[in-house]
Amino acid sequence: MTTKSVAIDLQGAQGPSRNRGIGRYVHMLFKSMLELSQDDLRYSAVISPNAPIPKDLFNTSELRFATLDLPPKAYLSKHSSYLDDYYNRLNAKYDTVLIGSPFEGYQSLETTSPSGAISWADTSVPIVYDLIPLRFPNLYFHHNQAYEQWYFSKLDTLIKANHLLSISEATKQDLVDLLCVHPDKISVIGAGVPANFRTDFAYSDDVRAKCASFGENYFITVYQEDHRKNPELLLRAFASLPFHLRLYSKIVVVTSHNEHSKTLKDYAYSLGLEDKSVVITGYINDEELACFYSNATAMVFPSIYEGFGLPALEAILAGTLALVSDQSSLPEVVGTSETLFNPYDEEDLRTLLVKASEDKEWSRNLKEVQLEHAQRFRWPEIASRAHESLLHINDSSGLVRDANSTRTPKKIFITSPVPPTKSGIATYLSSWVRALSQYADIVVVPDGSIESITDHYLALNSTDKSHFDTFYVDNAPFVHHLGNQPFYHSYQLEFIERYGGVVVLHDVILDHFSDFIGRSDIPIPNSLKDLIQALPRPRADMDMAYIAELRRLRLRTFLLWIWEQSTFVVFHSEHAKHLFMQLTGVSSEKLKVSPLGQSTKVLTKAPVEHSFAPSAPTTIVIPGFIDLSKSPFTAVHAVGLLERSIRPVIKYLGTGDETLIKSLNSTAKRLAVDIDVTGYLDDSSFVQQLSNADIAIVLRSHDRGESSAVAHLALAFGLPLIVEANGSFDEFPGSVCIKLNKVDTESLASAINLLLNDKDLRQELSANARAYVAHTLSWAQVANSVIHLLGTPRN
C-alpha cells in the first residue's frame, strides 16, 4: 500500500483564530484524524514559531512537524509583505497540504494562510467554512477595499485548489453558485462540537446552580455581533406570546458583548418586556453553555445565514430542542422541518414558541429525532470523511476526459469586456473565468487598465494589454468573447488575427459591429480592413433593398474573417450555429456548441417560492432592454384581457427608448393595467427583482443568434416562464416552460391565465426548470466543454 504524505496547515488552530470556532475546528479535526486507525496517510503539521501550538498536538508521537522560520514581529511590522509568500520558504515536499483556515491572517503579523501555488505540495485541499462576505458584499467590502482585495486573493486559492472540504451542504452550494466550482471537487464533511455537549455530561454544582437561577421555563439563544444573528426577531416573537406564557418564561441571551447587551435590553424595553424577562449572560465557558442549553425549553437560532450553525448542534447534543431559521445550513443541522421558521416572520416563530411551551410530547419526540440526526456530526465520523477525501483527491477533479481530449492547457488567455462595462458579456465573464480557473491559469487581457476592473477576482487574474508580451506563453490558447458592440470588442480583433484561438460568438448577427468597421475610432487589423474596403459602399441615392444587401455582404465578410482566423467558433445553441452556417456558407467542422451557463455570479440560496397570494397582486417580469422586437405591448394587452381581480403587475426590468416607454405607460393606463419600468439595474438589483417575481415572460420575434441569459436565469430560479418558440428558445424542453408558437394577445393571455390558475402546473414547471439548469446549463458543463475544445487539436 502506498502511503501519502499530508501536511496539515495549522493556521487557525494557531494565531488569531485560536479562540474562535475555526481555531477549535482545526484543532479538533486534526486531533481526530490522528486518532484514526490507518496507515495510508502520514501526517505532518506546518507550524509557525510566532504562534502557539496546541499542547495535545505537540505531544503526539505520531506527528511530524515542519516549522516555518519567521523573523521577529518587530521586523514583520515594517516588512509585512514578507508574509505574503513565506510558505514557499518551507524546505519540504508533500503529496497534499490540507489548509485548515484559508481566510487566515488579514492584518496579522502572527500567521497567515497560503495563497496561490504551493511549491512544496503536489495538491492542495482547503477547508471551507462559509463564503459569507461574498454573500453580503455591501456589508463586508463597501468600506474596506483593502479587505476586499485580500479576500479575493484567498478566493483564488479555493478556486484553484485540487479539492475542497466543506462543513455543510449549504457552503458547498455557495462554492458552486458563487465561485462556479465543480461539485465533484467538493466533499461535505460536517462540523462537530466539544465532548461536554452531551446529554449525560456531569455538570459541577456551581454550574447547576447558575442554570437553576433562570427558572424552569426559558428560551436560550446565542448572539455575537453580526447583522446575520437577528436576535430582535426572537424578542418580538416573545413579546407577542400569550400573557400566561410570557409571565412565567424568560429569554436567556448568551453574549459577551456588553455594548450590544445594552442595545438588546433597550430594544426589549421598547417592546414592553420587563427587565427580568431578558437575561444577558456575559461570557460563559463551554460547560456552562452546555448546561444552560440542557435545561432550556428550546434553543432558538433566528440567524439569517450560517455556514454551519454550531450553536444549534451544541444545543441538540446537550439535550434540548433547537428551533432554527429555514435559511442556509440550519435545516441540514437540525434535520426536522417542523422546527424551522422564517427569520423574517415573527408570527412564524411565535407559533413555534407556543408549541414548544405547551406541547411537551411534540418537543420530546422532535428532540429525539434531532439527537439521532446529530450523531453524524461526531468528530470520528467527520475525521473519517476528511480522511477518505484526502485519499481520493485525484479521482475528483470534475473534469470529463475522453479519447479526443489530448491535454489540458496550463494557461489560457482571454479577451473580453470586463466589469464595470454595461455588457451582459462582462457579467458573464465573471462566472466563466471562475469556472475555467479550476483547470488552468486564466489571464484576462482587457481593453482598459486593470485598476478600473470592479470584479476583484478578474483584476487578480488580468494583465494590461500594453504589457501583454511579457506575460504571453508561446502556443498558449486564446478565448475571445465577442459581441455586437464595436466600442467594447474592437480591440479583440488584433488579438484574434495575431493569436487565433477560440471565438465565442454571443451574437451571430454582428450587424452593428460590422457597420462601424472602417470608422477612424474603431481600430481593426489590416487584413480585415482590406476586405471591407474592397466592398461596395452604400450611398444615400441607393435603393433601400440594395443598401440592406450591401450590409448583409459586409456582415458575411466580417463573419468569414472571424471563421478563418479562429481555431473554433463557439455558439450557445444549435440554432446559432446553423444561423452562422446560413449566413456564411461554411461547413460545421470548426463550429462548436457550448452551454451558456449562468450569466450572473449572484444566486439565491434556496429555490424561490412563489406564493401567488390572493392578498397581493402577482408580478410578471419582462427582463432586458425594452424593444419592439420583444413584443412589450403584447403583454400589456394580454393582461388587459384578464379579469380585473386577478390582473398581475407587469414589471419591465430594464430601460429603452423614452418615447417607447411613454407609449407603454399610456397604453397600460388606458387598459387599466399596472406596469413598472425599473430603468437600468446593476447585477445584484436585477437578480433580486427577478427572483422576487412570480412569472417571467421573454418574447423575441427577431432572433440574432444570441441565447437569452435572463431566460436561463428565470429557469434557475424556478420561475414559471413563457417564451416565444423562436431561435434558441425553441431548444428549451417543453417540460420547463410554456412555448408559444404564435405570439398574439389572445395566446399570451391564455398562457398567463393558465399559470395563474393551475398551481400543479406551476410547481411542475418550476421543478423541471431547476433540474434542467442543473443538468444542462451548469458551469461544470461549460468548463468541461471549453477545456475539451482547447485540448483538442484542430483537424
Side-chain angles (χ1 to χ4, degrees), residues 10 51 92 115 173 190 223 233 247 255 316 321 390 421 438 473 508 510 605 667 705 761:
L10 280 182
S115 298
Q173 196 58 48
Y223 173 60
L233 180 81
L247 181 62
T255 181
I316 292 168
L321 180 68
L390 292 173
T421 304
Q438 298 171 71
V473 178
V508 174
L510 303 179
K605 270 309 304 144
T667 301
L761 175 62

Side-chain angles (χ1 to χ4, degrees), residues 490-764:
S490 59
Y491 88 98
Q492 298 174 257
L493 301 181
E494 292 185 8
F495 285 93
I496 293 173
E497 180 188 53
R498 184 174 177 183
Y499 299 103
V502 172
V503 175
V504 181
L505 273 188
H506 291 260
D507 294 341
V508 174
I509 302 179
L510 303 179
D511 51 357
H512 187 56
F513 200 162
S514 61
D515 284 345
F516 273 68
I517 290 176
R519 283 180 37 161
S520 59
D521 54 347
I522 303 295
I524 62 171
N526 288 331
S527 60
L528 178 58
K529 184 183 297 183
D530 292 343
L531 291 173
I532 296 297
Q533 288 180 345
L535 299 175
R537 296 186 179 182
R539 299 191 311 272
D541 60 345
M542 289 180 176
D543 178 79
M544 292 300 295
Y546 185 59
I547 292 176
E549 184 59 36
L550 291 181
R551 290 188 69 211
R552 283 192 290 271
L553 178 61
R554 190 183 184 92
L555 171 61
R556 181 177 184 274
T557 301
F558 184 29
L559 295 179
L560 281 172
W561 181 87
I562 292 171
W563 177 79
E564 290 170 353
Q565 302 295 326
S566 63
T567 308
F568 295 106
V569 181
V570 174
F571 310 91
H572 292 136
S573 69
E574 290 290 340
H575 167 77
K577 172 183 170 182
H578 291 297
L579 180 60
F580 187 92
M581 293 170 65
Q582 291 173 7
L583 291 170
T584 60
V586 300
S587 66
S588 62
E589 291 179 359
K590 288 172 56 175
L591 309 181
K592 306 294 180 180
V593 175
S594 172
L596 178 67
Q598 294 298 341
S599 59
T600 176
K601 59 181 178 294
V602 183
L603 286 177
T604 57
K605 270 309 304 144
V608 180
E609 300 299 335
H610 307 285
S611 63
F612 290 82
S615 59
T618 305
T619 300
I620 291 178
V621 288
I622 301 179
F625 189 81
I626 303 170
D627 183 85
L628 286 176
S629 65
K630 299 175 183 177
S631 307
F633 288 92
T634 305
V636 176
H637 284 280
V639 170
L641 292 180
L642 303 177
E643 296 180 16
R644 291 200 176 211
S645 61
I646 64 168
R647 285 184 185 178
V649 174
I650 302 176
K651 184 171 286 191
Y652 296 87
L653 304 185
T655 186
D657 179 76
E658 290 186 10
T659 303
L660 178 61
I661 293 173
K662 286 181 179 179
S663 182
L664 265 179
N665 280 306
S666 177
T667 301
K669 185 177 181 180
R670 177 170 53 84
L671 297 175
V673 174
D674 291 334
I675 72 169
D676 176 24
V677 179
T678 65
Y680 174 77
L681 298 171
D682 60 33
D683 292 345
S684 180
S685 300
F686 180 87
V687 168
Q688 188 64 40
Q689 294 270 8
L690 185 64
S691 66
N692 287 336
D694 299 301
I695 294 173
I697 297 177
V698 183
L699 307 178
R700 183 184 293 154
S701 58
H702 176 59
D703 182 70
R704 309 179 56 82
E706 73 271 40
S707 291
S708 175
V710 294
H712 290 158
L713 189 56
L715 293 175
F717 283 134
L719 275 172
L721 175 66
I722 302 171
V723 300
E724 184 171 359
N726 180 41
S728 62
F729 291 147
D730 198 33
E731 296 177 24
F732 285 161
S735 61
V736 306
C737 62
I738 294 178
K739 297 195 294 185
L740 301 178
N741 293 316
K742 176 185 178 184
V743 176
D744 54 33
T745 302
E746 290 75 17
S747 61
L748 184 56
S750 177
I752 296 171
N753 193 57
L754 179 62
L755 287 176
L756 291 175
N757 291 288
D758 192 335
K759 180 180 179 181
D760 291 340
L761 175 62
R762 297 198 305 266
Q763 292 178 340
E764 181 182 353

Side-chain angles (χ1 to χ4, degrees), residues 334-347:
V334 299
T336 49
S337 60
E338 299 93 330
T339 59
L340 304 179
F341 60 86
N342 183 339
Y344 303 100
D345 187 346
E346 65 190 65
E347 179 59 30

